Amino acid sequence: MISTGPTYLTVLSVLLSAWTCLALVIDTPTWSSSHTLGLSEYGNQVTTRADPSLAGYLGVFFLGADPYVYFYLSNGNNPTSFKALNKGSPIMKPTKGTGGVRDPTIIPGGGQDATKKWYIIGTDLNIGKTNWDASQRTGSKGIFVWESTDMINWVNERLVTVEDSTAGMVWAPEAIWDPAKGKFFYLVHWASKFYPTSDSKHTGNPSNIQIRYAYTSDFKTFSPPKTFINKSPTNIIDLTILALNGTDGQSFLRFMKDETKKTVFVEVSTTGLFGTWTRPGGDAAVIQSSVEGPAAYLDNQVAGKVHLLLDFYGADGYRPYESADPGSNSGWAASSRTGFPANLRHGSVLPVNQAVYAALNARWG
């Protein structure tokens, strides 16, 4: 169900040097063999440690009927307590496409962009101007992109087409830096369904919804898209990938929504992004039902702990969960919601260091 991918570098020094450089400013914590992050169902152990250089978290979301980009900053280094920045007003309102952006994801630069550049990408969709059926049949084929060199000034808004006319839509784009790929550092993925070329108006029956991917070095030019996850006849959306890396740089968790059953679950790979993915607990195992938009991030202070936001789309939006055994579908518990805002919708959270935390607070706090 996963297409054949590139051969990944296994030289530990390359991975460690790249991730360490990125972690100096803002990103996933660096790693140590002093703590075990459990993937015990597979007999594989992934090691990690908390990162004392990280001082807080930046959340990037949209708000229900308001399809714009909002920033929320953690209250200190508390991973589930956030305050609205910019007095609760949006940081970015799109001027292109439908004029609305959903599912915003913030992506730290990798490679030569590490510590120098950040991107925000999102879905081009203003549901107030259309409906759910039309948005899936004849929706946007592109993704919104903004970029910044300081996390404060976001420029070069663009809407980049990534699928052809046979696609019904491009939903929930995210990206992960792939240091093993070479020139094209970022693997970008999204959800699409497809119609036969003979059905140019997309009035007939489409394929199931699949996860597609492409590579880019600048979020301007993308490689031809390919299929990453196809669980036909099941519809899959809202993929997010959390890099663990451990001792070999090949360990990942990927969270996604079964749009057919309306559940979110996690899969594990210890053999790279294009390796073998296994669903802990089997095909029926889930983390939660009637949710979407999973957003996963490592704890800055507690080694081995992962946080997961799940969007209760029929209720009050995101609610926080946590686990010390994130490579499991059964090990997640609801976190304290004291200080956690209501009505946040599908977005992302990025750990930040003290300099970035202070800059964001000074500009919009």
Side-chain angles (χ1 to χ4, degrees):
M1 290 184 286
I2 300 174
S3 61
T4 302
T7 300
Y8 284 82
L9 297 176
T10 58
V11 181
L12 180 61
S13 61
V14 174
L15 289 168
L16 289 179
S17 62
W19 280 105
T20 301
C21 176
L22 191 55
L24 289 176
V25 173
I26 176 174
D27 196 40
T28 308
T30 51
W31 305 90
S32 166
S33 60
S34 63
H35 186 89
T36 298
L37 183 63
L39 300 179
S40 55
E41 293 192 34
Y42 306 98
N44 295 298
Q45 299 298 320
V46 179
T47 55
T48 181
R49 66 174 175 83
D51 189 338
S53 73
L54 297 173
Y57 307 83
L58 173 65
V60 178
F61 310 103
F62 82 101
L63 305 183
D66 297 320
Y68 312 122
V69 178
Y70 293 81
F71 280 8
Y72 280 71
L73 191 63
S74 65
N75 291 302
N77 218 354
N78 187 328
T80 58
S81 178
F82 287 85
K83 62 182 179 182
L85 295 184
N86 200 29
K87 298 181 180 180
S89 295
I91 302 296
M92 283 167 275
K93 285 187 173 183
T95 63
K96 303 180 184 300
T98 64
V101 58
R102 299 168 70 98
D103 323 316
T105 299
I106 185 166
I107 304 152
Q112 63 184 10
D113 287 340
T115 76
K116 300 176 181 177
K117 185 170 283 190
W118 294 264
Y119 298 91
I120 288 176
I121 64 176
T123 304
D124 174 25
L125 175 59
N126 186 343
I127 197 64
K129 296 180 179 180
T130 181
N131 59 64
W132 288 114
D133 182 67
S135 68
Q136 294 180 61
R137 290 180 180 275
T138 57
S140 175
K141 311 301 189 295
I143 62 175
F144 271 121
V145 181
W146 290 265
E147 59 185 75
S148 177
T149 58
D150 58 8
M151 294 279 283
I152 304 298
N153 299 290
W154 292 90
V155 298
N156 296 334
E157 176 195 340
R158 51 193 179 269
L159 183 56
V160 185
T161 299
V162 293
E163 287 286 8
D164 65 24
S165 61
T166 62
M169 79 294 191
V170 168
W171 275 5
E174 293 200 17
I176 185 169
W177 180 57
D178 183 358
K181 183 60 179 175
K183 179 180 178 182
F184 294 100
F185 289 106
Y186 307 93
L187 183 150
V188 186
H189 54 82
W190 60 88
S192 291
K193 64 172 65 173
F194 296 90
Y195 293 80
T197 54
S198 59
D199 184 7
S200 61
K201 295 184 179 180
H202 297 186
T203 57
N205 295 323
S207 71
N208 63 304
I209 306 177
Q210 309 160 25
I211 301 298
R212 302 273 282 173
Y213 80 96
Y215 277 96
T216 184
S217 61
D218 55 10
F219 291 87
K220 296 177 182 177
T221 303
F222 292 75
S223 66
K226 298 180 181 180
T227 298
F228 188 27
I229 302 173
N230 186 355
K231 295 183 182 290
S232 179
T234 299
N235 295 312
I236 297 294
I237 65 171
D238 293 355
L239 173 68
T240 190
I241 301 174
L242 183 64
L244 298 178
N245 288 313
T247 58
D248 60 4
Q250 298 293 294
S251 298
F252 297 88
L253 304 178
R254 67 182 189 187
F255 303 82
M256 66 195 81
K257 181 187 179 185
D258 180 331
E259 178 66 359
T260 303
K261 295 182 178 179
K262 314 300 183 185
T263 58
V264 165
F265 61 93
V266 65
E267 293 183 338
V268 178
S269 172
T270 57
T271 53
L273 288 168
F274 291 86
T276 300
W277 292 90
T278 309
R279 184 169 174 174
D283 291 344
V286 301
I287 296 174
Q288 186 63 253
S289 301
S290 300
V291 293
E292 63 187 15
Y297 52 103
L298 286 158
D299 193 282
N300 290 345
Q301 302 175 89
V302 181
K305 189 175 186 179
V306 173
H307 299 276
L308 180 67
L309 303 185
L310 296 174
D311 187 346
F312 285 72
Y313 53 88
D316 55 356
Y318 265 144
R319 300 177 190 175
Y321 286 72
E322 60 189 66
S323 178
D325 185 19
S328 166
N329 278 293
S330 60
W332 295 88
S335 305
S336 169
R337 296 173 68 186
T338 301
F340 191 83
N343 300 314
L344 303 182
R345 299 298 308 278
H346 188 175
S348 60
V349 176
L350 190 66
V352 298
N353 71 8
Q354 183 59 51
V356 173
Y357 184 95
L360 289 166
N361 206 34
R363 175 63 179 85
W364 288 303

